[in-house]
Amino acid sequence: MSPVMVVAASSTLAQPFTSWRLRASPTGKPWERSRARLRLRVRAAIVEARPSPVSNDSMKVVQVIRGRGAEDIQAEARAMSRAINASVYSPELLSNEYGSRPIKVVRRALQILIALGSFGAKLLLDQRNGVLDRNKRVRGAELRGIFTLLGPTFVKLGQGLSTRPDLCPPEYLEELSQLQDALPTFPDEEAFSCVERELGLSLDSIYSSISPSPIAAASLGQVYKAQLKYSGQVVAVKVQRPGIEEAIGLDFYLIRGLGFFINKYVDIITSDVVALIDEFARRVYQELNYVQEAQNARRFKKLYADREDILVPEIFWDYTSAKVLTMEWVDGVKLNEQVAIEKQGLKVLDLVNTGIQCSLRQLLEYGYFHADPHPGNLLATPDGKLAFLDFGMMSETPEEARFAIIGHVVHMVNRDYEAMARDYYALDFLSPDVDVAPIVPALRNFFDDALSYTVSELNFKTLVDGLGSVLYQYPFNVPAYYALILRSLTVLEGLALNADPNFKVLAASYPYFAKRLLTDPNPYLRDALIELLFKDGKFRWGRLENLLIQGRKDRDFSAKDALQPVLKLLLGPNGEELRMLVIKEAVRVTEAFVLGTVIDTYSSMPDLLRSLIFNGNGNSSGPLVLSKAEQQSLIELRNQVSRIWGLLQSSENFDPASLQPIVQVLQQPEARNLGGRVIGGITQRLAARLLQQVLRVPPTSPASAT
């Protein structure tokens, strides 16, 4: 296994790794654990790993549990027992803690008020002088600096705001998205004491060497490079910043008090601010529990590291606790360091494409995703893999929303702005009592301009900024998962644009969407596919051809999967409307093949033979009573259908034997009935054509002037 570097920080210190032999140090007394507690923790580890019955990834996680050895599960259980007293967010406990410490509370409150009050005064002056919009960029940068000075809580708050286009204008979003977790390091002695205290072992009994100073630092902790004594494995050791719980607790106590004030006196804000603060605080407190982060990493690895181009570090459970996290060390280069990546013979765009495909699987397949994919958390390894790091902040996309997002893309492609506006109910952007009628013109104004390009040519950041402006103007409440999705893909596109200004993240994403639409049996996606392919009672063969061309670019595309779900839908009890459309289109296609063959045969005949067969009645338009335009349309339809069949046949995993289940489906009574209706329609259509041919009026020759 390759050595791995896990950098939990956004900024890396320019401190080279120097091996430092450990001196003897006092040994902390090991914790005593009863067998009963150990058994309890083992059960807890198994229960924690098991998803809810409705989860899409339930089968995969069950396989994960079966694949893990008993020793690994027990080691995780021991880590959980070490974190049993980890802090959890409780407004009641914070109130009890700081309600009796008024001096400390007032001192911190003044510090915050002075910093934010001066910023607010500048905004008022800008408004009075009529330069509020012009100074947005400058003020956004100032706010970023203020949040950094106020410490970890406000750094996290700023990062949270950077994903909320419904709360902040685009200029602020862009500035706050640059917030880094960089804070001064804390003394190494305190870090090493924390390791010994948390693990109940002396430092020299754990490591044969450890870096004398941190390799990287962040708002919540700092990272050391070490070598485990028992195995020689090189690891990253993340140690939590001392006093961080108290600092964050005090800040949230004050911020929550401000939330109550806003709920009571600020009418223009309709959201429950206290509820939003509580949700955000719970997320931050989860980041303080490193055992939780380790479990996040383990789950992420089992779901997504099955791909050979994705790397997720292993966890060393016996050396992990609530405040100490030991992971495999990853040697790699940050994804925004293009020169260094290219020196290794790698291409940034290949790595970004890997990141996009993995992100789409996270967001829309299993719904469990990395919520903080900034460049410091994405490394290019020497062997060309993309390594994901720092699993403190994770999020989940609700199952209904995963399908609604894909449907939203279909509505965008179709320019169906009324349907796009209604999608916001399913995505939980709007409450059901909000009228979407006023939103439709705003969507039309923006997307008509944006979609003057093809979808694959769209710049994702432009799309997000424009959509953000719409969200900011109307009563949207963007769910956290959706805001994080936008941020994730925007970050990846930004990295790609540094390497190639013409890169388009939507073009790279489209094969995944095409594959899901063509192969996913989910009823919502089947309806979205029908909506995309049928318009005004006609089948759009060009759309199907494009979907197949794009879908085949996805490594998981299967021609077999693209055929069977469509047939099941077609032959299902609720498929009568679709069957009528399919019968009509089947007749049209059959006519195109039959008449197209006649036209081709006629065109290939020598003039003499053609004259003999048609008794000299051949005419410039051919053997049929059809205009040139009609003939061209039939031939183009036939050729398009032939190309589509060729695309299916040429798919990498296409096997004629895979069509056997389809043959079985076609033997069902419903299929035979459908086939009979198709044959009847074809017979009627060809009979009408034949009658038209027999009764046709011979074309008249231009009359001579008399």
Side-chain angles (χ1 to χ4, degrees):
M1 194 171 291
S2 62
V4 216
M5 171 178 165
V6 174
V7 180
S10 308
S11 58
T12 306
L13 304 180
Q15 171 67 48
F17 170 57
T18 307
S19 181
W20 175 53
R21 292 292 158 186
L22 297 170
R23 301 183 300 272
S25 58
T27 305
K29 183 179 179 181
W31 291 7
E32 296 178 355
R33 307 176 184 85
S34 67
R35 290 182 181 272
R37 169 173 286 188
L38 180 57
R39 285 195 297 270
L40 176 63
R41 293 300 159 199
V42 171
R43 293 192 197 104
I46 296 173
V47 170
E48 183 276 332
R50 195 172 286 138
S52 63
V54 297
S55 174
N56 244 17
D57 58 345
S58 56
M59 289 303 296
K60 191 161 187 176
V61 176
V62 168
Q63 292 169 0
V64 165
I65 295 171
R66 288 173 180 167
R68 296 178 68 200
E71 185 178 340
D72 186 49
I73 294 176
Q74 290 175 3
E76 181 179 349
R78 290 192 293 271
M80 292 173 66
S81 70
R82 286 190 289 272
I84 196 167
N85 294 319
S87 297
V88 292
Y89 176 68
S90 168
E92 295 77 17
L93 289 178
L94 291 182
S95 181
N96 293 337
E97 173 71 19
Y98 297 108
S100 58
R101 301 168 69 181
I103 295 177
K104 189 177 185 69
V105 171
V106 169
R107 186 184 297 123
R108 179 59 174 168
L110 286 173
Q111 184 183 3
I112 295 171
L113 285 173
I114 290 170
L116 296 180
S118 62
F119 178 76
K122 290 179 181 179
L123 290 181
L124 289 174
L125 284 173
D126 286 347
Q127 188 174 29
R128 181 173 298 178
N129 296 330
V131 294
L132 188 63
D133 289 337
R134 191 172 70 194
N135 284 349
K136 278 181 180 177
R137 178 77 58 187
V138 174
R139 298 300 175 227
E142 288 180 1
L143 185 60
R144 172 164 52 89
I146 289 170
F147 281 165
T148 301
L149 288 173
L150 287 176
T153 309
F154 287 86
V155 168
K156 292 294 179 186
L157 180 62
Q159 289 175 337
L161 286 173
S162 73
T163 67
R164 300 303 302 257
D166 53 333
L167 299 179
C168 296
E171 294 83 358
Y172 280 66
L173 296 177
E174 196 163 322
E175 289 295 333
L176 293 177
S177 67
Q178 298 176 37
L179 266 173
Q180 299 296 307
D181 283 342
L183 285 177
T185 62
F186 57 90
D188 301 310
E189 292 76 14
E190 292 187 38
F192 297 151
S193 296
C194 177
V195 173
E196 293 187 330
R197 185 171 59 253
E198 286 288 307
L199 301 182
L201 299 167
S202 64
L203 221 61
D204 60 345
S205 68
I206 304 173
Y207 313 115
S208 56
S209 64
I210 190 169
S211 57
S213 299
I215 302 298
S219 57
L220 302 184
Q222 57 196 38
V223 179
Y224 295 85
K225 186 176 183 180
Q227 188 173 38
L228 291 177
K229 194 168 188 175
Y230 86 97
S231 66
Q233 174 75 51
V234 179
V235 294
V237 183
K238 183 159 76 168
V239 186
Q240 195 170 109
R241 186 177 294 274
I244 191 73
E245 293 174 356
E246 183 173 354
I248 287 178
L250 176 56
D251 284 345
F252 278 121
Y253 173 75
L254 291 168
I255 294 170
R256 198 169 190 271
L258 178 62
F260 278 113
F261 178 85
I262 292 172
N263 278 352
K264 189 171 183 179
Y265 297 107
V266 182
D267 294 333
I268 60 172
I269 298 180
T270 57
S271 300
D272 185 346
V273 177
V274 173
L276 291 174
I277 292 169
D278 286 343
E279 174 62 24
F280 178 67
R282 272 189 285 272
R283 286 181 178 273
V284 174
Y285 267 78
Q286 284 180 357
E287 286 192 66
L288 293 177
N289 183 353
Y290 286 173
V291 170
Q292 178 65 55
E293 180 176 342
Q295 290 173 330
N296 293 343
R298 182 249 299 154
R299 181 181 177 190
F300 189 91
K301 182 180 182 72
K302 295 304 181 183
L303 288 177
Y304 307 115
D306 56 339
R307 302 298 170 87
E308 59 183 15
D309 48 8
I310 297 294
L311 188 150
V312 179
E314 291 284 354
I315 303 295
F316 292 85
W317 295 102
D318 281 328
Y319 306 109
T320 294
S321 71
K323 297 183 180 181
V324 176
L325 175 60
T326 303
M327 300 177 80
E328 189 181 6
W329 180 274
V330 177
D331 279 323
V333 180
K334 288 183 182 180
L335 217 54
N336 60 348
E337 297 178 3
Q338 183 179 350
V339 175
I341 290 174
E342 290 176 349
K343 281 184 178 178
Q344 297 184 19
L346 305 175
K347 294 181 180 178
V348 173
L349 291 183
D350 290 343
L351 293 157
V352 169
N353 257 316
T354 298
I356 289 171
Q357 299 309 314
C358 185
S359 293
L360 290 170
R361 289 185 72 208
Q362 293 174 51
L363 304 171
L364 302 175
E365 207 161 307
Y366 295 108
Y368 184 70
F369 66 93
H370 195 298
D372 192 22
H374 61 72
N377 290 338
L378 298 169
L379 296 184
T381 67
D383 56 353
K385 293 184 179 182
L386 179 65
F388 283 81
L389 311 174
D390 193 353
F391 301 91
M393 186 180 291
M394 308 296 288
S395 190
E396 297 200 43
T397 312
E399 187 171 10
E400 319 80 63
R402 297 177 218 162
F403 301 121
I405 289 169
I406 297 176
H408 196 59
V409 172
V410 171
H411 295 147
M412 183 181 72
V413 171
N414 283 345
R415 302 193 187 208
D416 187 348
Y417 303 120
E418 288 80 8
M420 283 184 72
R422 290 192 298 271
D423 288 337
Y424 295 128
Y425 294 132
L427 291 168
D428 204 23
F429 278 35
L430 297 169
S431 60
D433 59 332
V434 174
D435 181 16
V436 297
I439 299 169
V440 174
L443 291 173
R444 180 176 289 108
N445 290 339
F446 170 68
F447 282 104
D448 272 348
D449 181 50
L451 294 176
S452 58
Y453 303 96
T454 64
V455 174
S456 61
E457 291 174 331
L458 273 175
N459 181 295
F460 188 74
K461 186 179 183 305
T462 302
L463 198 63
V464 171
D465 287 347
L467 184 58
S469 298
V470 175
L471 299 180
Y472 187 61
Q473 295 171 26
Y474 292 93
F476 285 96
N477 178 33
V478 179
Y481 76 83
Y482 194 83
L484 292 167
I485 288 171
L486 297 183
R487 180 186 179 190
S488 173
L489 293 178
T490 303
V491 166
L492 287 168
E493 183 174 62
L495 291 168
L497 288 174
N498 287 333
D500 178 6
N502 297 315
F503 182 86
K504 300 294 184 290
V505 72
L506 285 176
S509 304
Y510 203 57
Y512 176 86
F513 282 99
K515 179 209 61 174
R516 286 293 300 275
L517 282 169
L518 288 169
T519 63
D520 198 310
N522 178 270
Y524 188 97
L525 296 187
R526 293 270 60 82
D527 291 344
L529 178 62
I530 292 169
E531 186 178 337
L532 188 66
L533 296 180
F534 283 93
K535 184 178 182 181
D536 300 329
K538 285 192 173 182
F539 191 85
R540 296 191 278 189
W541 290 96
R543 283 278 174 88
L544 178 58
E545 185 177 9
N546 186 48
L547 283 174
L548 285 168
I549 290 171
Q550 294 295 329
R552 290 170 75 243
K553 295 177 184 177
D554 189 282
R555 70 174 77 178
D556 295 328
F557 176 78
S558 167
K560 178 187 69 173
D561 292 340
L563 292 171
Q564 293 190 55
V566 174
L567 280 174
K568 289 177 182 177
L569 175 69
L570 180 64
L571 303 175
N574 300 318
E576 179 58 29
E577 185 178 351
L578 178 61
R579 284 194 286 273
M580 293 299 295
L581 293 172
V582 168
I583 290 169
K584 181 179 176 182
E585 199 60 33
V587 170
R588 184 165 161 256
V589 169
T590 304
E591 180 187 41
F593 272 88
V594 172
L595 298 187
T597 302
V598 171
I599 293 168
D600 285 348
T601 303
Y602 177 83
S603 300
S604 64
M605 286 181 179
D607 290 342
L608 179 60
L609 182 61
R610 191 186 305 162
S611 176
L612 288 172
I613 293 176
F614 292 95
N615 290 322
N617 290 328
N619 57 75
S620 60
S621 64
L624 304 173
V625 185
L626 294 173
S627 67
K628 283 287 187 183
E630 287 179 301
Q631 292 185 36
Q632 189 60 41
S633 176
L634 286 170
I635 291 172
E636 175 55 32
L637 175 59
R638 181 197 64 182
N639 293 344
Q640 204 163 38
V641 174
S642 298
R643 286 197 302 270
I644 288 169
W645 176 243
L647 286 170
L648 289 170
Q649 283 185 306
S650 61
S651 297
E652 285 185 14
N653 53 2
F654 181 83
D655 179 2
S658 67
L659 299 180
Q660 184 60 35
I662 298 174
V663 173
Q664 294 172 358
V665 171
L666 291 174
Q667 291 172 350
Q668 296 175 8
E670 297 88 348
R672 289 199 294 271
N673 179 45
L674 177 63
R677 292 166 68 183
V678 170
I679 292 170
I682 293 170
T683 303
Q684 291 176 18
R685 185 64 173 262
L686 293 178
R689 286 288 190 190
L690 180 61
L691 184 62
Q692 182 185 32
Q693 185 72 17
V694 170
L695 299 178
R696 74 175 180 174
V697 178
T700 58
S701 302
S704 304
T706 58

